[in-house]
Each structure stands twice: as structure tokens, then as C-alpha cells.
Amino acid sequence: MGQYVSAHGDVISHVNISSVRVADGGLYQCTAHNTAGQAHHSARLNVYGPPTIRHVGQLTAVAGQTLSVTCPVGGYPIDKITWQKDGLQLPATHHQRVHANGTLTIAAITRAGDEGSYSCTALDKQGRSDHQTLHIQVMAITAAASGVLISQHSEISSTLSIDRTSGEHSGNYTCTASNGARTTSSSAALTINIPPTWVVEPSDADVSLGASLEIPCSASGFPTPSVTWRKQTHSGNWRDITSESTRIPQVHQGTKSTQTKSFAGASSAVEPLSLSERFPAPNVMQVWQQKTTVKALTRVGLQRESSAGQDSSGSSLIIAKAAKEDNGRYLCAANNAEGPGLSKLVTVTVLEPPWFPVRGREVTAQVRGTAVLECSVRGDAPLAVQWRRDGQVLPLIGSKYSVEQEHGEETTKLKLILNDALASDGGAYECQASNLHGSNSLVYSLVVRDVPSAPSDVKVSEKGARFIALEWSASAERASVPESSDINFIVFYATVEGSYKEIKVPTNFARITGLDPATRYLLRVAAENSVGRSDATEVLMATTLEEPPTGPPRNVKVVDVSKRSVALRWEAPLANSTNGVIRGYILGYRKNSFSHRGDS
């Protein structure tokens, strides 16, 4: 780099770069100044190659002013430049702006909202990228209000003093001196170490089984305190809550569905859960961070967060879908090597309202039999369990109901026993449980089944010489809940002198085949289910149609012969071959090779 004055009085400055590297690419600025002011000129040098960002380190800004930060990227061509603050894509507020050339502008910068770590990332179209992180410190000094006193000893001597230091006095201080010739300045960093103090002190909390609980814990100090959580084991030792590999869905700040107040005053985020669907219970602990987006939480873990400009750090212990094993004592500790540090022991109590590990179901019993309904309930003692029907507590005095109760280590069982059950006893039965934390109920359905009623309206719908078709009306099954799909029908048939035969059909129609013509039959129908068979209907008589005889006359004989006639005699065909009533015979005769017919 060099400069010279031309014959016309112009100052010529130049920059020479030998052995150009990708990192040499970027925006270059030339500044010219004199006693009247200064001027700038910028130009960009593009060096072909992958994105390369130079290290920046730390920048200092003055609160209330506008800060512009250029991402010092080399490489060409560059497709896109993005900015992030604490992992959050910018712009995130209305006073932040990311320009197309990769410059980040923050208007009216504040220490509370804008101080922190910023990351600049450059990408090219081949997917190659580079990033660098810089820290922006925002300086805000108020003299008298903050205890800062500036004493002017002479025109060339000044002293800055602070009576009582506090965390807000940390920062960079710059002393500036100027005269008619030039201006110069000198800066010094002041760091004040502060022991941790509570910002949010954790407290004891209760949570219902299956709900979610959040216990916040945060502290401030300098250096920024490290906040950790530990849980006491059954042996009395303490186990660190650290990140594990099991992942749960993404959680963002402000997305909790409902905010309630826990029993002990801590903020509790409750996610409704059907307790009957909760078994087996998930055991998931999460961390909910203030002012940050938690991209991936772990089953048991903490994600720490430092609030820009406040030198504070905090994390919240989240127990999602709490289980009984989440009961116990938890310790939140904040340390920064200044002083003894802070710690607070809190007790988490998981309250177990009544819930049912087994869903309600349908119980089937037979008429005059015994029905047993068993209800299993879990929950904190004292646990009251009872059976109800139509709003009345069972058993009723002098009734056929009785109850038996069993107390297990975790489950209480209450059996409802019904003797000599009738169809009218069927219906809904409610198992109701309650304790100090709430109440719950589960409905069981009792079906008392009897043999079906006998069919009605039996009639012949069609008949022939060899078949009879019947149809009838099916009466409803005598049960608390009809189940006609289980019903079959039995058709009985017999001749007047014979014994009954039967066929089974699933519908209210039957076709009886293989019958004898012109025969009277006795017909009856009964209904049948898994319990038993109904009474048969009254006897219905039906006669099959006739058909031509299948047997010839027997013992045909000539009994008399004259010149003009012949007398014949015969016997009727066998009874089983007449197929009806014989109404006459046909006699045929033949003379001299031709026949003559006539009726007898």
C-alpha cells in the first residue's frame, strides 16, 4: 500500500496484492480526511473460489445509534449471505435489516435486546459455505444516574470515577482528545465480576399424573453464571441431568397450549391427557428456555441460555406427561466462580388422580346365571371406589347385587357380582373413583342373554310335489341388547305317521325338499341361539301336490271272453307309486296290427 501527491496536488493512494488468495476478496474502503472533514470510497475485489469469511472478533456499538456490520466474505461468486443471532435467523425484529450485499443494519440498538453473538454465513450455488461468529457489545453510559463521575483537572487532564460499581458499569470506556490539528482517542475495558443472584428462584411444585410441569430457574452475575439441575436418587446421591440421545418433538417459545398455576405457585404448562389412555406412562423430562427456540430437546436434559445485556442464564425443568417416578427432590445451582454460588432444593410431587389401566368393556351373562363386573383403579390413597346404575349406588339393600374389594400394591379392584341375572338387569354400569386430586368414572356394559322367542306367522309360501317352502316372522331375542346375528332357526317336519326330522337355517325362510307327493306333513319352527332353543310353534299342516303315478297297475287278468268283448281285472299300483288319488285307468287294445283306444 502506498500513496503520492500528483503534480496537480492530488493525493493518489493504491493497494497492491501479490499472490492473491480467496481470503483477499471482499469490500475495500479508502478514506481521505483533512481538517474540514473526511470522505470514503468503497470497491469490491472478487476472487474466484469458495466462500471464505475472515475473523471479526468483537464490535462495540453505542446504545440508541444505528450499527451496520458488513460480513467480511471472500470468494466468488457468492449466492447468499445470511445472519443469525443466538441461533435465530435475522431479521427477527422490525429494527433489524439484512441487505442484499450481506450487510446487517440494526437501528436504535439496545443492550438488552441486541447485545450478543452474531453469526454470518455465506453460501455459493454449489452448496459450499463458511461462517464466522462475532460478538456485539452495546455501550450505554449515563454519568450521574449510574454513579459515574467525570472530573476535568485541566485542559489536558480528565478523570472518570465510579463510586459504587455494579454490573451495568462493565464495558468499554473511550477517552477522546481533539484540537485544531486532529482527534485521537484511547479505550479501556472495565470488567466487574458479580456473584450470582436469583432472577427466578425455583420453588416446590405439584403436578397431576400425565400433565406437564415447568419449573423455571435463572440467575444473573458476571461472568454469566452456569445453571445446572440435578435429581436426588433413592440412595441419597445426586445425579446430573445432562443431554441424552433420545429426541422429542421440536418446541418453540410461546407454543404451550395452556398456562396454569401449579399448586406451589410455579408456572405449570398442562397438556390435557386422557388418563385411561396413559398406561404405560411416558417419562419425559424437557427443558423450556426463555427467549430462545429449543430445536431439539432430550428426554432428560438442560439447554442453557444467556440473556444478552443482562449477564443472566436460566433454564426451566420440564416434566412432560409426569409419571410417579418423577417424584423427588431436584437441585438447581448457579455458579460463576465468584462467591459460593447459589443453589435451591425443590420438591416435585406427582399427584395421581384416579385412572383406569383397563378400558371399560362389555360383559355377557345368561339369564338366571351370575354376572361379574371387575373395575381396576389406580390413584393416590385414600381412594374411594363404588359402582352405580341409573344414579344409584350399588349394592342396594336387599338386592341381588354384592361387591368384593381387593387392595393391591398399586391397584384397587372392586367387583360387582349379580346373581340370578335377568334380561332387565342388562345395561350400563358405572365404576366411579375419587380421591383428594379428583374423580373419574368408567362405564361397563352388561348384556344378559336368554333363549330367543319362538317365531310367529309361520305360513307356506310355495309348495310342489316334492317340496314345501315356509316363511315366518322372527321375534326379537330376549336379551338386554339384541344380537339377532347369533340366531338360527330349526324347521321340524314329519308325515302324520312318521317321526320328526329337522333342518337348520340362518334366515326366516326355508325350503324343505325330498318330500313325497300328495302327502300330508306336520310342520313346526323354533329359534335357537348360543343360550338355547325356543319352544316350537304350533303344528302347521301342509300337503304336497300330486304327480303322475310312477308304478303300473298290478295283476292284470282276462276274466271273461265273448264274441264281442273281453273282460279284464287288475289291482291298483303300489301305494308308494300312485303319487296321489287314482282317478281312472286307460285301457288300450290292438287288432290286426292297429290299435283302438277308449276309456273304461
Side-chain angles (χ1 to χ4, degrees), residues 372-434:
V372 179
L373 285 73
E374 182 177 295
C375 177
S376 297
V377 188
R378 295 184 63 173
D380 287 340
L383 186 63
V385 187
Q386 61 184 9
W387 281 99
R388 286 178 174 266
R389 188 189 185 200
D390 298 331
Q392 293 184 311
V393 178
L394 300 178
L396 301 174
I397 297 177
S399 68
K400 53 188 175 182
Y401 296 99
S402 62
V403 294
E404 295 179 1
Q405 191 165 15
E406 300 177 9
H407 295 282
E409 184 177 349
E410 295 182 342
T411 304
T412 296
K413 292 183 179 180
L414 187 67
K415 292 182 180 180
L416 177 65
I417 303 171
L418 170 62
N419 296 307
D420 195 24
L422 300 176
S424 59
D425 295 320
Y429 288 77
E430 181 183 24
C431 178
Q432 190 176 80
S434 62

Side-chain angles (χ1 to χ4, degrees), residues 38-242:
Q38 58 184 11
H40 306 282
H41 173 72
S42 299
R44 181 168 183 84
L45 172 63
N46 292 323
V47 180
Y48 285 95
T52 303
I53 301 177
R54 294 183 294 278
H55 178 70
V56 178
Q58 179 170 303
L59 295 179
T60 301
V62 179
Q65 296 185 4
T66 298
L67 173 67
S68 292
V69 183
T70 299
C71 183
V73 59
Y76 184 81
I78 299 299
D79 182 52
K80 182 170 60 175
I81 298 175
T82 61
W83 283 88
Q84 289 184 327
K85 179 181 184 293
D86 299 328
L88 182 64
Q89 190 78 25
L90 301 182
T93 64
H94 66 280
H95 66 275
Q96 297 172 343
R97 183 179 178 187
V98 178
H99 300 270
N101 63 357
T103 299
L104 171 66
T105 300
I106 305 175
I109 193 168
T110 64
R111 184 177 185 187
D114 299 312
E115 188 172 84
S117 295
Y118 290 75
S119 176
C120 170
T121 303
L123 302 96
D124 63 10
K125 291 187 176 181
Q126 285 73 40
R128 297 174 296 185
S129 64
D130 191 21
H131 74 277
Q132 285 289 344
T133 300
L134 62 93
H135 185 81
I136 295 179
Q137 186 173 35
V138 180
M139 182 175 62
I141 298 179
T142 55
S146 62
V148 178
L149 178 63
I150 300 176
S151 302
Q152 191 76 33
H153 302 296
S154 65
E155 293 183 355
I156 62 172
S157 177
S158 177
T159 302
L160 183 147
S161 61
I162 303 173
D163 291 339
R164 301 185 64 181
T165 58
S166 63
E168 67 177 6
H169 294 120
S170 295
N172 288 335
Y173 290 78
T174 302
C175 177
T176 303
S178 62
N179 58 16
R182 60 177 297 183
T183 298
T184 186
S185 63
S186 177
S187 297
L190 174 62
T191 301
I192 299 177
N193 293 340
I194 304 172
T197 57
W198 289 121
V199 175
V200 178
E201 185 176 4
S203 58
D204 294 344
D206 297 343
V207 60
S208 295
L209 187 73
S212 299
L213 171 70
E214 174 185 353
I215 304 179
C217 177
S218 62
S220 63
F222 190 86
T224 302
S226 172
V227 179
T228 59
W229 280 91
R230 292 189 292 171
K231 186 179 188 295
Q232 191 173 34
T233 62
H234 294 294
S235 63
N237 297 322
W238 292 94
R239 175 177 56 84
D240 291 335
I241 300 177
T242 57

Side-chain angles (χ1 to χ4, degrees), residues 202-332:
S203 58
D204 294 344
D206 297 343
V207 60
S208 295
L209 187 73
S212 299
L213 171 70
E214 174 185 353
I215 304 179
C217 177
S218 62
S220 63
F222 190 86
T224 302
S226 172
V227 179
T228 59
W229 280 91
R230 292 189 292 171
K231 186 179 188 295
Q232 191 173 34
T233 62
H234 294 294
S235 63
N237 297 322
W238 292 94
R239 175 177 56 84
D240 291 335
I241 300 177
T242 57
S243 297
E244 294 181 355
S245 60
T246 305
R247 297 293 177 183
I248 62 174
Q250 181 173 328
V251 178
H252 297 281
Q253 190 241 348
T255 58
K256 287 289 182 180
S257 60
T258 306
Q259 281 289 337
T260 65
K261 190 173 183 181
S262 71
F263 294 94
S267 176
S268 177
V270 178
E271 298 173 357
L273 176 69
S274 172
L275 292 177
S276 63
E277 299 175 358
R278 192 209 144 275
F279 185 83
N283 177 21
V284 182
M285 293 185 184
Q286 308 172 11
V287 176
W288 181 269
Q289 293 295 329
Q290 300 173 353
K291 302 179 183 178
T292 190
T293 297
V294 183
K295 291 185 177 180
L297 302 181
T298 56
R299 177 182 177 276
V300 179
L302 297 174
Q303 183 168 338
R304 301 176 180 82
E305 179 242 347
S306 297
S307 298
Q310 299 181 6
D311 298 327
S312 65
S313 176
S315 63
S316 296
L317 177 67
I318 297 290
I319 301 178
K321 297 181 180 179
K324 294 296 288 184
E325 54 265 31
D326 297 325
N327 271 314
R329 300 202 299 172
Y330 296 80
L331 181 70
C332 180

